[in-house]
Each structure stands twice: as structure tokens, then as C-alpha cells.
Amino acid sequence: MRALITGITGQDGSYLADFLLEKDYEVFGMVRRASTESFERIEHIRDKITFVQADLLDQLSIINVIEESKPDEIYNLAAQSFVPTSWNQPVLTGEFDAIGVTKILEGIRLLNRKIRFYQASSSEMFGKVQQTPQNESTSFYPRSPYGVAKVYAHWITINYRESYDIHANSGILFNHESPRRGLEFVTRKITDGVARIKLGLAKELALGNLDARRDWGYAGDYVRAMWLMLQQDEPGDFVIATGKTHSVKDFVETAFGHVDLDYHDYVTTDPRFIRPAEVDFLQGNPLLAKEKLGWEPEVNFDGLVRMMVDADIERLKNK
Ligand code: NAP
Ligand code: F7E
């Protein structure tokens, strides 16, 4: 089997590449041109991946990589994925995260409609939640340009499924984290901060809204669900989540507690990290994924926090 992964240099792309290589896939990774490489997360497997250069902004480049890699499956993980940036660069976020998806679907439509497609949809589409817990039929109410762009991407995926009979799938993934998570996202910011404080490299950690609640899972578990979707006879939309919700404060408390520190001594709040519109509460219902895909998460909240804190301490120990 041959798979093309867009966003292979990102958190999910790296775990998915690990997973597919284990399954003996031939893996093609779409990367964009940069003056310095950002291959850190895939350094350990880079000789097993065939890299193809393209950009979500460039339709012809996408057509060329599909033609070159001749994939059975395409996983579209590439995106501008940081919510705060979507207010500073709303147009770019729309171009990447919404129209970029149409460009890949157009490539499939023109070149080979048998290619199975995975779209990285997001719990940010639920935004100001209309129902709890959120499932595949909960209405969307996005609260950021990122969320709005992902709603477009979600519906264009469904539209190409219905219009052209393409095996196009949308995974509505709730927040998933790991030691490979980008440093600006709250979980990794916290575990990196805890590690620095524990090792004497920092004195405090400034955060924004500590009351926001998320359904946090482990990225390594979530990429398995992406693959499972593409193995089904029928394409579909699936919520992927743990079903449990925790506040940012819970995450902070657990992370500091893991290294025997009291977060009250170190955490400050800074209005710079407060968003123009917030997603206050998310909790997914992964029942359909359990029933149809046989998918369940293996790492729980405490296990995830410990894994991330330990990895950051190990990384920073000799600095
Ligand atoms: P990430 O770590 O930020 O990775 C994003 C990837 O997209 C990087 O490889 C980046 O490449 C690539 N990219 C960005 N703009 C591009 C462009 N114009 N052309 C080609 N490649 C481009 O994100 P992630 O956490 O792995 O998330 C993967 C996907 O799932 C994203 O679509 C995200 O929106 C979605 N999602 C994530 C979560 C989550 O909790 N992690 C939940 C739901 C949905 P560079 O290395 O060149 O920057
Ligand atoms: O924020 C609060 C912040 O940036 C989580 C992306 O992968 O998941 C991610 O989006 C919460 C928010 O993730 C800080 O206000 C407090 O309520 O880690 P985050 P996100 O916005 O939920 C979804 C599913 C995606 O699809 C996205 O691509 O934490 N928060 N203090 C903070 N957030 C950050 N970043 N930094 C803080 O200092």
C-alpha cells in the first residue's frame, strides 16, 4: 500500500508515518520548501520516507505529487493549526485549512477517484457547544477563523464524497497531545515549563484562561483511528475523543504535582494569552468510533501528562 501524508513534519504526520511504516506501507511525505528543514519529528525515519515537494497554496504542485506518488490513501494533515494565529492571519488560515483541502480533493477527482482520503477535521468546529457531549450530529458553532475554515473543509470533504463517490472521510478529532506537540500549545507549554522550573532553568510560567476545558487524548492513539477510517467499506465522519473533560488548571496541577511542585508558586496569568473568543468546554462522545471502527484510546489523562513531563525533563536535563 502507498500513502501520501501532507503535514508529515507535524505532530500527527510523524506518528502516522511511524504507524504506517510499521504496517509496511510505502510512505510519501508532502513537504513545503523552506530555507531550513523542519524534520525534527521524523528524523528517526527520514530514510524510510519519500519526500515530495508541494504547498497547499499551489494546485498544480498538489496534482504533481499525487501523480508522482500514486497513492492508495491520502491523509491531509497539513494546516495552519494554531488557533490564536488564525486571528492574526485569517486569510492565510482560510487558504490553507479550507481552500487547500479543495485543492487536494480536486487532485483526486481529476487523477484517480479510487484514492481514499482522510481530512483532519477538528473539535474546534463545535466551538460554543450546542450539545454535550459532542457527537457526529452535533451542530457546529466555530469560534475562531481556524474553526470556521475547518467547517468549510469538513463540508467540502462530505460534498466530494456525495458528488463524486470518493471514499472521503472526516475525523473530528478532539485535542490530542504528545511529547512531539508544538511548544505553543497549552499542554506542551505547561510540560516544558514544568520541566524548566524543576531543573532550575525558569522561575515561572505565564498562561491565559485556566478555566477552559478540553477532551485531551494521546496523538499516538488518534492516528490509529485515521487509518481505521480508511479501511472501512463505507466512508464516514467520526468523532475521536476520550469522552473525558479536564480544565487547563487540572492539567497544570497534575503536571506540577508529578514533579512534587505546587503550581500556585509558579503560574501567573497574562492577558496576552486570552483569546478574542474562547471555546470554553469540549467533551467528545467516541461511541460511533468504538462501535464501527473498534477504536478506543489507550493512554488516559494522567498517563499523558506524565509522559509529556518526563519527556521534557529528559530533553532538557543536559542543557
Ligand atoms: P502541526 O503539528 O501544526 O503540523 C502541521 C503540518 O502542516 C506541518 O507539517 C506543516 O509543515 C504543514 N503545513 C502547514 N502549512 C502548509 C502548507 N501551506 N503546505 C504544506 N504543508 C503545510 O499540526 P498537528 O497537531 O499535527 O495537526 C495535524 C492536523 O490535524 C492539522 O490539520 C490540524 O489542524 C488538525 N487537528 C489537530 C488536532 C490536535 O489536537 N493536534 C485536533 C484536531 C485537528 P511545516 O513543518 O513546513 O510547518
Ligand atoms: O489551547 C487555553 C486556551 O492552544 C487549549 C489545536 O491542535 O486543538 C488545538 O486547539 C486551551 C484554550 O489548543 C494558554 O485559551 C490557556 O482554551 O492548546 P491550545 P486549542 O486552541 O484547543 C484543536 C482540537 C485543534 O484542532 C487545533 O489545531 O488552553 N490556554 N493558557 C492557553 N492556550 C495556549 N496555547 N497558551 C496559553 O498560554
Side-chain angles (χ1 to χ4, degrees), residues 64-215:
N64 286 337
V65 299
I66 296 176
E67 216 160 29
E68 197 183 328
S69 55
K70 299 195 173 21
D72 301 294
E73 299 173 354
I74 297 180
Y75 296 86
N76 181 36
L77 309 182
Q80 189 303 94
S81 73
F82 192 47
V83 173
T85 296
S86 77
W87 277 285
N88 300 332
Q89 301 182 4
V91 176
L92 182 99
T93 301
E95 297 281 2
F96 284 12
D97 298 9
I99 303 301
V101 183
T102 314
K103 290 183 181 141
I104 298 176
L105 287 164
E106 277 292 87
I108 294 175
R109 182 181 70 81
L110 288 166
L111 295 173
N112 176 8
R113 296 182 191 185
K114 296 256 172 303
I115 296 171
R116 295 189 171 199
F117 177 72
Y118 173 84
Q119 168 56 19
S121 286
S122 165
S123 53
E124 282 294 296
M125 302 190 303
F126 297 123
K128 189 171 174 180
V129 297
Q130 302 295 296
Q131 184 188 7
T132 291
Q134 297 83 53
N135 64 26
E136 292 76 7
S137 35
T138 303
S139 309
F140 300 137
Y141 193 140
R143 293 273 281 172
S144 62
Y146 170 83
V148 173
K150 285 285 182 180
V151 171
Y152 172 97
H154 179 75
W155 281 108
I156 200 72
T157 300
I158 293 171
N159 182 259
Y160 272 59
R161 179 198 302 160
E162 294 176 353
S163 305
Y164 306 115
D165 204 18
I166 292 170
H167 197 292
N169 300 266
S170 172
I172 308 176
L173 271 54
F174 282 61
N175 299 52
H176 46 280
E177 319 294 315
S178 73
R180 299 185 198 166
R181 184 59 141 157
L183 280 163
E184 72 272 52
F185 296 92
V186 78
T187 55
R188 186 72 198 292
K189 185 174 167 184
I190 294 166
T191 61
D192 176 72
V194 165
R196 283 175 193 279
I197 290 168
K198 184 69 183 173
L199 296 170
L201 301 170
K203 289 193 163 47
E204 63 169 36
L205 175 63
L207 295 169
N209 177 13
L210 299 185
D211 296 324
R213 298 184 76 87
R214 291 289 184 277
D215 180 329

Side-chain angles (χ1 to χ4, degrees), residues 1 10 17 19 59 119 146 148 184 210 218 243 251 300 318:
M1 291 290 283
F19 178 86
Q59 176 76 73
Q119 168 56 19
Y146 170 83
V148 173
E184 72 272 52
L210 299 185
Y218 170 54
F251 197 105
N300 68 15
N318 301 319

Side-chain angles (χ1 to χ4, degrees), residues 194 198 253-263 265-266 309:
V194 165
K198 184 69 183 173
E253 203 167 1
T254 310
F256 277 92
H258 181 51
V259 295
D260 300 320
L261 295 176
D262 181 346
Y263 80 90
D265 298 334
Y266 304 100
V309 172

